[in-house]
Structures are given as structure tokens and as C-alpha cells.
């Protein structure tokens, strides 16, 4: 009987943790949402994000991170603001989603927007690119997904100008630790 109670308590804790990891909206300056027709429905999991974009100094130079300091990537296989990453792809590369208007701290707010996903979530965009995190980045500031070619396209970190950073070597302009994750 104690084993059943322990399993039930563990399941409840996991469910509560998962619910707490859901997306939450933030308010702040943002541009109008971009819209496009979403592709046909998929069973991709809804993954949360903060809807907050910041910059961070990394060995690759200044890059975009979410409100938790997690590195954000763009997927070269996307078409404009339309995401082509669903199912297994979205499990490996969770989209940065929001339920409110994304905010930009230290970035050009007019470049921040959103796009609808076919799983009925709203993905954050920057300079017209849907943004993603990489599931194997275990700590804020990690860039282990840089240059990956998984799921039919290249994945790159994003610069504050909205361009992909395609280098994999440390940038000569970055020095020392990044500290602060844009906070």
C-alpha cells in the first residue's frame, strides 16, 4: 500500500512540475504578430517559453536567449515565419512559445513577433525567424546545437541583428565570461 501511495505522489509531482513548465505570457514592447496559414495538424508536444528575449555574450559573440538564459536557434528549413519543426523535431528542438506578447530586453522590439503553430500554440519569432531551444543544451548559455543539420536543415544561434551566426569557433570579439544572460 505504501508503494502505491509513493507512486501516486510521484505521478502528482511530475504532473505539477510539467504544468509549471508551461508557457506564460509577459507584457512589454513587441511588434504586431505575423500570421500565416499553419500547416496541417501534428501531434507535436506543446512546449513552453517565457516570451522574453534577451542578449547574452557567448563564445560565438552576442546571441539571443530566452528569459531563462537558454540559447535560441533558428532553423534554416523554415519558410519565413512558418515553422517546419513538428513531432520528433519539436521534441529535440522545442519551439519558444508564448501565450502573450513577447518582450525584448536590449533588442530591437520591432523585430519581435509571433507565428501560429499547427499544434495551436504561438511561437516567438525574431526578425521573421521562428525561434527554438535545443533539448541537449543543459545549462543557460549552452550552444551545443550550433551548426547541427538535424531534421533536414541547419540550426544556428541568432545574433541581435536577427542574422544566423554560422561560425562554430569562438568569436574574436568575445572575451571572458558572458555573465548575466542579459539581466
Amino acid at each position: 500500500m505504501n508503494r502505491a501511495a509513493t507512486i501516486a505522489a510521484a505521478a502528482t509531482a511530475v504532473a505539477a512540475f510539467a504544468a509549471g513548465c508551461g508557457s506564460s505570457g509577459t507584457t512589454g514592447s513587441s511588434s504586431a504578430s505575423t500570421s500565416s496559414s499553419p500547416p496541417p495538424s501534428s501531434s507535436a508536444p506543446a512546449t513552453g517559453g517565457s516570451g522574453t528575449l534577451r542578449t547574452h555574450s557567448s563564445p560565438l559573440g552576442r546571441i539571443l536567449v530566452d528569459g531563462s538564459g537558454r540559447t535560441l536557434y533558428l532553423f534554416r528549413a523554415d519558410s519565413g515565419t512558418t515553422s517546419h519543426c513538428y513531432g520528433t523535431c519539436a521534441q529535440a528542438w522545442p519551439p519558444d512559445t508564448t501565450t502573450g506578447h513577447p518582450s525584448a530586453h536590449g533588442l530591437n522590439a520591432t523585430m519581435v513577433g509571433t507565428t501560429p503553430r499547427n499544434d495551436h500554440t504561438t511561437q516567438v519569432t525574431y526578425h521573421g525567424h521562428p525561434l527554438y531551444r535545443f533539448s541537449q543544451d543543459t545549462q543557460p548559455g549552452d550552444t551545443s546545437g550550433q551548426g547541427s543539420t538535424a531534421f533536414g536543415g541547419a540550426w544556428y544561434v541568432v545574433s541581435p541583428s536577427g542574422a544566423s551566426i554560422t561560425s562554430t569557433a569562438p568569436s574574436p570579439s568575445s572575451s571572458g565570461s558572458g555573465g548575466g544572460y542579459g539581466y
Side-chain angles (χ1 to χ4, degrees):
M1 186 153 152
N2 284 338
R3 183 172 187 214
T6 302
I7 292 172
T12 301
V14 169
F17 177 77
C21 291
S23 58
S24 63
T26 58
T27 58
S29 56
S30 67
S31 67
S33 296
T34 54
S35 64
S36 61
S37 296
S41 184
S42 169
S43 61
T47 56
S50 67
T52 300
L53 301 179
R54 300 180 186 276
T55 63
H56 170 66
S57 181
S58 80
L60 298 170
R62 299 288 302 165
I63 62 172
L64 263 62
V65 297
D66 67 11
S68 299
R70 302 292 300 259
T71 302
L72 295 169
Y73 297 84
L74 61 78
F75 184 34
R76 288 269 179 100
D78 287 343
S79 302
T81 60
T82 303
S83 173
H84 292 288
C85 182
Y86 290 91
T88 306
C89 177
Q91 290 172 357
W93 295 90
D96 186 32
T97 60
T98 187
T99 57
H101 297 287
S103 61
H105 299 277
L107 294 165
N108 183 343
T110 63
M111 295 173 70
V112 179
T114 61
T115 190
R117 291 182 54 80
N118 69 14
D119 58 4
H120 306 290
T121 60
T122 301
Q123 187 167 6
V124 178
T125 62
Y126 191 72
H127 195 54
H129 302 290
L131 299 175
Y132 306 85
R133 291 178 312 280
F134 184 46
S135 63
Q136 293 182 23
D137 283 350
T138 59
Q139 297 181 25
D142 283 356
T143 58
S144 59
Q146 176 68 357
S148 171
T149 55
F151 301 100
W155 298 87
Y156 295 112
V157 298
V158 185
S159 74
S161 71
S164 57
I165 298 174
T166 58
S167 67
T168 55
S171 169
S173 65
S174 66
S175 61
S177 68
Y181 301 107
Y183 293 102

